[in-house]
Amino acid sequence: MPYVDRQNRICGFLDIEENESSGKFLRRYFILDTQQGSLVWFMDNPQNLPVGADCVGSLKLTYISKVSDATKLRPKAEFCFVINAGMRKFFLQANDQQDLVDWVNALNKATKITVPKASDVQQNSENQKSLPDVVGSKKQVSYKTEIIGGVPIVTQTQQEGGDGAERAEREAMQRSHSQLPYFLGRPAQEHTVIKSGYCVKQGAVMRNWKRRYFLLEENSMSYFKSDLEKEPLRMIPLKEVHKVQECKQSDIMMRDNLFEVVTTSRTFYIQADSPEEMHSWIKAVSGAIVAQRGPGRSAATGLLGEYFERYNITFVWFAYI
């Protein structure tokens, strides 16, 4: 779902058909900035990109004439809507029906504020001929991110025509929704998958932020380099989790949708793609913990209980009245 960030901008992930009529939708992070009068999109949340990273596309709100549902125009693209901007149509895919409605309403509301007067329409039309609708080249360019000396470096890998690069990019930017099917490349699991999806996690040593694929099961929460990996980078047993909650240091870290998983040895700081996803993860992890330990048992009592049971320790309480 789109959300309002600290700068009062509407943000969120969408899939966009960057090359018109190509039928290929790419995952991008969108920012609707009514103060600047523009809609811009990036490879990822700018908070996760190198400082000063440029957007891969932009559109002035004054060019937008109408935003509407495009299900009939793109029947194969689920939750699709279209932005009409001059001679160009931008087709985008939302995450679900409510996400589609929210974005369409937000864009139409923003364009009502910036729509030029009738006397200026002709002048804007002439300006459109000389100004590009989208920043950058028309050719599709793919990128790769490498960590060198603790610093994420984004480099161009291949121009349009490289199906392998495009496929890798799409796989790397899978939707972070729990309702998506668990990927087929992983062997069958013994435990039930409660929730899965992409989030951004802070590293323990370098304190940098990396996008990871998270998997919540009955007894553990694991994260992987991507949803194609079979072995997790780390598995967090739920019996070691003291609490999971919205992060109280989000203002200090300057991160939206940040929550924390507090264990006996470490606090994991995890950023979701939206407030809804953040609360969904908190609810899912908390529910899994309760289901594992039983109602009324916290992480501390669970660990102490195991200790008492192991060493056959019995406590007797006396009350003085």
Side-chain angles (χ1 to χ4, degrees):
M1 300 294 178
Y3 68 95
V4 180
D5 68 0
R6 300 173 187 278
Q7 301 178 49
N8 202 33
R9 304 175 303 180
I10 298 176
C11 309
F13 280 96
L14 293 168
D15 295 345
I16 182 172
E17 186 184 49
E18 289 189 332
N19 293 329
E20 192 172 5
S21 302
S22 66
K24 296 180 180 179
F25 287 79
L26 300 174
R27 194 75 167 160
R28 296 289 182 254
Y29 185 84
F30 283 76
I31 298 177
L32 173 59
D33 191 338
T34 55
Q35 295 296 325
Q36 297 295 326
S38 64
L39 175 69
V40 296
W41 52 97
F42 297 81
M43 295 288 289
D44 195 0
N45 188 327
Q47 294 179 343
N48 306 321
L49 296 175
V51 178
D54 293 330
C55 61
V56 295
S58 70
L59 180 64
K60 291 185 178 181
L61 298 184
T62 52
Y63 292 169
I64 298 177
S65 58
K66 184 181 179 182
V67 183
S68 58
D69 190 312
T71 304
K72 294 182 179 180
L73 297 176
R74 288 286 193 276
K76 294 183 179 180
E78 196 174 17
F79 311 123
C80 185
F81 64 96
V82 60
I83 298 176
N84 293 277
M87 301 299 292
R88 173 76 193 272
K89 294 180 183 293
F90 293 87
F91 288 91
L92 302 99
Q93 274 186 285
N95 300 310
D96 53 43
Q97 184 61 35
Q98 187 59 50
D99 193 35
L100 182 153
V101 172
D102 290 345
W103 272 109
V104 170
N105 290 340
L107 286 165
N108 279 325
K109 182 178 179 181
T111 53
K112 284 181 181 178
I113 300 174
T114 58
V115 166
K117 297 178 181 179
S119 58
D120 297 332
V121 172
Q122 184 176 358
Q123 182 179 355
N124 284 338
S125 299
E126 294 176 356
N127 292 338
Q128 282 181 312
K129 296 178 181 179
S130 58
L131 294 175
D133 288 336
V134 182
V135 173
S137 173
K138 289 292 184 179
K139 292 184 178 180
Q140 179 61 45
V141 181
S142 59
Y143 298 83
K144 66 178 180 179
T145 303
E146 299 175 311
I147 306 301
I148 302 176
V151 179
I153 304 298
V154 180
T155 56
Q156 180 178 326
T157 58
Q158 189 174 356
Q159 292 287 344
E160 185 178 11
D163 293 337
E166 290 181 356
R167 189 181 303 110
E169 183 184 24
R170 289 195 300 272
E171 292 170 346
M173 298 298 291
Q174 290 284 346
R175 297 186 179 186
S176 57
H177 295 282
S178 57
Q179 66 266 29
L180 293 179
Y182 197 39
F183 66 87
L184 301 178
R186 193 187 302 276
Q189 301 290 318
E190 296 180 0
H191 304 290
T192 303
V193 176
I194 300 173
K195 183 175 176 62
S196 61
Y198 277 95
C199 291
V200 177
K201 183 190 71 67
Q202 186 186 54
V205 180
M206 302 301 296
R207 301 295 179 183
N208 51 354
W209 297 82
K210 296 180 181 179
R211 200 164 187 82
R212 295 292 183 238
Y213 184 80
F214 283 79
L215 175 68
L216 175 63
E217 297 176 299
E218 292 177 343
N219 300 312
S220 65
M221 182 179 185
S222 308
Y223 56 87
F224 304 76
K225 190 173 183 180
S226 75
D227 62 348
L228 301 178
E229 299 294 326
K230 296 182 179 180
E231 296 298 326
L233 296 172
R234 180 161 183 167
M235 182 185 71
I236 308 169
L238 293 184
K239 65 181 181 180
E240 296 183 4
V241 178
H242 287 281
K243 59 184 176 181
V244 54
Q245 63 185 11
E246 187 171 354
C247 183
K248 298 178 181 179
Q249 301 182 34
S250 59
D251 290 336
I252 300 175
M253 295 185 175
M254 294 299 293
R255 292 265 164 177
D256 297 314
N257 318 317
L258 193 66
F259 66 98
E260 57 187 13
V261 178
V262 183
T263 70
T264 54
S265 59
R266 175 185 167 188
T267 297
F268 295 84
Y269 295 103
I270 304 171
Q271 182 185 21
D273 289 341
S274 67
E276 290 79 11
E277 270 297 291
M278 177 190 68
H279 292 300
S280 176
W281 273 108
I282 293 175
K283 182 179 179 181
V285 176
S286 299
I289 293 173
V290 171
Q292 182 192 59
R293 299 172 187 157
R297 294 185 65 193
S298 65
T301 58
L303 292 171
L304 287 172
E306 292 179 5
Y307 178 83
F308 296 153
E309 184 178 346
R310 178 181 302 176
Y311 294 101
N312 195 26
I313 297 175
T314 304
F315 278 89
V316 179
W317 284 268
F318 295 91
Y320 295 90
I321 302 176

